[in-house]
Amino acid sequence: MSYRTKILAGVLGLGLFAQGAQAASLCKPDIVGITLIEGKYDPPASIVPDVEKYKGDKMPADIIVQGWQNLRAAERPLTLMCRYKGRPNEAFTLPDDTNSCELTYNRGLIFECRH
């Protein structure tokens, strides 16, 4: 396969996968928890995860999965809040077409959302 063909195949492959999911390690490793918030309410309206599995009680290394489904029904904007001990929280606004999100730990936190 020529060099240009490999580059074109790679770009096309990334384009196909980019439409279905976004993956990023948004929270730093020293989090004490995360919260998914819907809308702009005061106090904030948090969404309880549909799926939660842990190996133990040490966050984040003991998390197996934390997931939210059917987020299209949630009030927009959707905000991911990374909570830390002894320092300010960090907030990230998720895209409006987000339908499901999942937080997993694999030598680092991976937060993945699907449209």
Side-chain angles (χ1 to χ4, degrees), residues 23-45:
S25 297
L26 296 176
C27 298
K28 293 177 179 69
D30 61 335
I31 64 169
V32 294
I34 65 167
T35 305
L36 194 60
I37 301 169
E38 68 174 317
K40 291 189 175 195
Y41 300 107
D42 188 18

Side-chain angles (χ1 to χ4, degrees), residues 46-62:
S46 61
I47 303 173
V48 178
D50 301 307
V51 177
E52 279 188 305
K53 294 181 185 176
Y54 298 93
K55 295 184 279 189
D57 60 353
K58 290 187 180 182
M59 187 69 168
D62 285 348

